[in-house]
Amino acid sequence: MSTKEIFIGRKKELDLLESLYNSRKFEMLILHGRRRVGKSYLLSHFANLHKNNVVYFTGDKSSEKINVQSFCEELKTVIDAGDFINSFATWNDVYSFLKNTEIKERLVLIIDEFTYLYNSNPAFDSGLQNAIDKILKDKNIFLILCGSEVSVIEEIIDDSTKPLYGRKTADLKLLPFTYKEAREFFPGYSDEESVIAYSILGGIPLYLMLFDDALSIKENVIRNCLSSTGYLFNEIETLLRMELKETYFYKNIMLAINAGASTFNAIKEKAGEDAAKVAKYLNVLISLGFVKKEVPCGEKEKSRSTLYSISDNYFAFYFAFIFKKQNMLNGLISPDAFYERELTKEKLNAFIGYRFESICETYLKEQFYNAKMPFYAENLGRWWGNNPVLKKQEEIDILACDEENALICECKYTEDAFDEKELKDLQDSALCVKQHNKTFIIFSKNGITSGVENKIKNDPSYSVVTVKDLFLS
């Protein structure tokens, strides 16, 4: 759609890029983030704003000489250089040329997928470090290094024993869009439809652009996710192969989590591997942003109550509805019939329910950040544990607290309104919270019953947030 051809969001990120561009000294930005999150799209947009000053080069897995020659082709479009630079074969040749070239106007050097250059030549980082210290730091240059390989970036940029440590002047991790930012991709959808689309796709720009808001959610899911020709049908398999080697084992871990194994021991048992291997692979999935590790709100990071869940929405959707049924979808059942059979309203609501909690958490974080709450939260997240009064296990969907105050939230995404029994459960969960000042928020897709309304209408400690409220500024 034409509405999706415009540049959406990323205002803070563009503001950072502009501030570094307008700096009068050498700058080196490290831009990183998971694949498909829109790093190259952001850089292309920024480059188009400064066409006459930007050299945009994307590294690949070929030799240093081929990469250097490709870079020089881009360099010639910005700097008036002779054809002699076509003979350059090493990055040192490029650095020597820049040393002897007067750079009056701001020059932006964007090296996308720079980790490929390091992988093909382990001396790349030491050569660049030497160039920064002896040449580039005295030039009117803004250098941007961009990459998706988290482990490689951490190794060459953040390791204090490596040459490039301490050379970056700015660091930007590009995150997926929030539910509210994703809303801009669907101007034709209702707020509820936007919540459904976001719960399925997450905040990955490429995925959001695939959904056409002139079509229903069902039609978009069938076209993009369930049809064997759809872009998202094999997307998870493709991503895992790009990022990982033993994809079978990683998939087993996520299948175990999807099946309800949320503790480390439960995941280990279902995966059928030793603890050290499971821990290592879980950490990789966490670093890639596919899996989330949580401890009860307010507890230390190494709590014994640690739980794991699939954090990426489309990964969760894929493993919940598609992975085990791909053989069927490859010719044994039509995507339409599959949707009617597998994605009933009840099943889809149950899936969205957990994603809805994450949306509500994002909403609260924004409220606290913008000082729209009665206190400043020191901790915010899920809580689970023992109810010391009722002697039973309890869960709180979202808890936000400081030393004196606690906000206790229930998130409900069902066809039914929040009722009096659920209100009693919410009040019981408050017995687990030690803070004296307690307030409550009921996040509910379909509001509250008249019985609940009568019980809380004169109590300022209770408030109700609907789906529509989630999108209000």
Side-chain angles (χ1 to χ4, degrees):
M1 292 179 63
S2 60
T3 53
K4 295 183 182 181
E5 292 170 2
I6 63 173
F7 187 80
I8 292 176
R10 304 303 192 199
K11 183 181 183 304
K12 290 181 180 178
E13 292 84 352
L14 278 173
D15 286 346
L16 173 63
L17 289 170
E18 289 295 335
S19 68
L20 295 173
Y21 177 83
N22 291 320
S23 167
R24 296 183 179 182
K25 63 183 190 307
F26 170 76
E27 303 282 2
M28 184 174 90
L29 169 71
I30 305 299
L31 174 61
H32 53 108
R34 57 159 290 185
R35 295 186 191 277
R36 311 288 202 254
V37 80
K39 299 183 299 297
S40 297
Y41 192 58
L42 171 64
L43 290 176
S44 294
H45 180 75
F46 173 71
N48 284 331
L49 297 175
H50 305 282
K51 288 182 180 179
N52 297 326
N53 303 79
V54 177
V55 176
Y56 193 134
F57 164 71
T58 301
D60 61 34
K61 296 180 180 180
S62 57
S63 68
E64 178 177 8
K65 181 177 180 180
I66 292 175
N67 274 300
V68 167
Q69 289 175 340
S70 298
F71 178 85
C72 288
E73 286 298 319
E74 299 297 329
L75 185 63
K76 286 194 297 184
T77 65
V78 176
I79 292 181
D80 185 16
D83 289 336
F84 74 94
I85 71 170
N86 294 336
S87 65
F88 289 177
T90 69
W91 289 107
N92 283 335
D93 293 335
V94 174
Y95 303 144
S96 295
F97 170 76
L98 292 174
K99 178 181 180 180
N100 296 311
T101 300
E102 184 180 7
I103 301 173
K104 293 182 179 179
E105 293 189 27
R106 190 67 158 163
L107 175 64
V108 183
L109 302 178
I110 299 175
I111 303 181
D112 203 351
E113 299 296 357
F114 82 97
T115 52
Y116 290 156
L117 307 181
Y118 173 77
N119 290 335
S120 63
N121 178 12
F124 173 79
D125 61 337
S126 59
L128 179 56
Q129 174 253 314
N130 190 55
I132 290 171
D133 293 348
K134 295 183 178 179
I135 302 169
L136 303 183
K137 70 182 179 74
D138 296 320
K139 295 284 186 177
N140 190 15
I141 287 176
F142 175 19
L143 173 63
I144 302 175
L145 301 181
C146 177
S148 303
E149 297 181 73
V150 178
S151 60
V152 178
I153 292 171
E154 289 177 348
E155 178 185 345
I156 62 179
I157 299 296
D158 297 327
D159 185 340
S160 61
T161 66
K162 297 294 182 177
L164 285 177
Y165 181 78
R167 298 317 188 276
K168 67 181 179 183
T169 61
D171 187 295
L172 174 58
K173 182 177 182 180
L174 199 61
L175 299 174
F177 285 119
T178 66
Y179 76 92
K180 194 179 288 187
E181 293 167 331
R183 179 77 175 88
E184 295 184 48
F185 287 84
F186 314 117
Y189 275 173
S190 67
D191 291 336
E192 185 178 331
E193 288 172 322
S194 293
V195 166
I196 297 171
Y198 178 79
S199 297
I200 293 170
L201 301 172
I204 300 302
L206 177 60
Y207 304 169
L208 295 167
M209 291 178 71
L210 292 172
F211 269 34
D212 183 346
D213 59 6
L215 303 176
S216 67
I217 297 289
K218 175 183 175 180
E219 289 171 317
N220 273 306
V221 169
I222 289 171
R223 173 190 286 186
N224 296 291
C225 309
L226 303 183
S227 298
S228 59
T229 55
Y231 183 91
L232 294 173
F233 185 71
N234 289 309
E235 167 66 358
I236 301 305
E237 300 288 335
T238 301
L239 262 184
L240 290 174
R241 284 196 300 270
M242 290 171 70
E243 295 282 6
L244 309 165
K245 293 180 180 178
E246 297 181 74
T247 59
Y248 175 79
F249 184 61
Y250 285 103
K251 285 186 283 189
N252 275 350
I253 288 180
M254 285 186 279
L255 278 171
I257 296 173
N258 179 70
S262 56
T263 66
F264 179 82
N265 285 335
I267 295 169
K268 179 172 69 70
E269 289 300 317
K270 279 191 175 291
E273 293 286 347
D274 65 83
K277 187 172 183 180
V278 172
K280 175 184 174 182
Y281 283 52
L282 269 174
N283 285 335
V284 171
L285 291 171
I286 291 168
S287 70
L288 291 171
F290 302 157
V291 167
K292 178 167 63 174
K293 176 182 178 181
E294 292 179 285
V295 298
C297 178
E299 292 194 12
K300 295 181 179 179
E301 187 67 26
K302 294 186 178 180
S303 167
R304 291 185 177 181
S305 300
T306 299
L307 296 182
Y308 298 87
S309 60
I310 298 178
S311 56
D312 179 276
N313 286 8
Y314 190 65
F315 267 80
F317 182 82
Y318 175 79
F319 283 106
F321 295 107
I322 300 174
F323 179 72
K324 287 189 174 181
K325 306 291 177 66
Q326 268 193 319
N327 191 49
M328 290 178 65
L329 287 164
N330 271 311
L332 296 176
I333 187 173
S334 74
D336 297 68
F338 183 89
Y339 188 100
E340 292 296 328
R341 172 182 142 160
E342 298 293 335
L343 280 88
T344 62
K345 181 170 284 189
E346 183 180 85
K347 288 182 179 179
L348 198 53
N349 278 351
F351 170 79
I352 295 171
Y354 180 73
R355 309 291 133 189
F356 185 63
E357 288 182 23
S358 178
I359 288 172
C360 297
E361 186 173 309
T362 301
Y363 167 86
L364 280 179
K365 286 179 178 177
E366 183 180 359
Q367 297 298 303
F368 277 109
Y369 183 85
N370 292 320
K372 294 182 178 181
M373 303 301 285
F375 66 97
Y376 286 98
E378 295 175 3
N379 295 288
L380 189 152
R382 284 201 297 158
W383 184 92
W384 57 94
N386 182 57
N387 188 318
V389 178
L390 300 179
K391 309 297 182 185
K392 66 173 185 175
Q393 289 298 299
E394 205 79 71
E395 291 186 16
I396 299 174
D397 289 343
I398 308 174
L399 173 65
C401 58
D402 63 10
E403 288 297 321
E404 300 293 330
N405 305 280
L407 172 64
I408 303 157
C409 306
E410 179 73 18
C411 306
K412 181 174 182 179
Y413 193 91
T414 69
E415 297 305 304
D416 301 319
F418 186 88
D419 61 28
E420 291 175 78
K421 180 186 180 302
E422 290 165 322
L423 177 63
K424 176 66 165 55
D425 291 340
L426 176 61
Q427 292 167 337
D428 286 347
S429 69
L431 299 172
C432 305
V433 178
K434 64 180 181 179
Q435 283 81 354
H436 178 70
N437 302 318
K438 299 176 185 179
T439 52
F440 302 86
I441 293 182
I442 299 167
F443 292 94
S444 178
K445 173 189 173 186
N446 283 305
I448 58 177
T449 63
S450 58
V452 172
E453 185 176 3
N454 288 333
K455 284 181 177 293
I456 68 173
K457 64 182 178 181
N458 295 319
D459 190 340
S461 63
Y462 287 88
S463 57
V464 179
V465 175
T466 65
V467 169
K468 182 179 179 180
D469 295 328
L470 290 171
F471 291 95
L472 298 176
S473 298

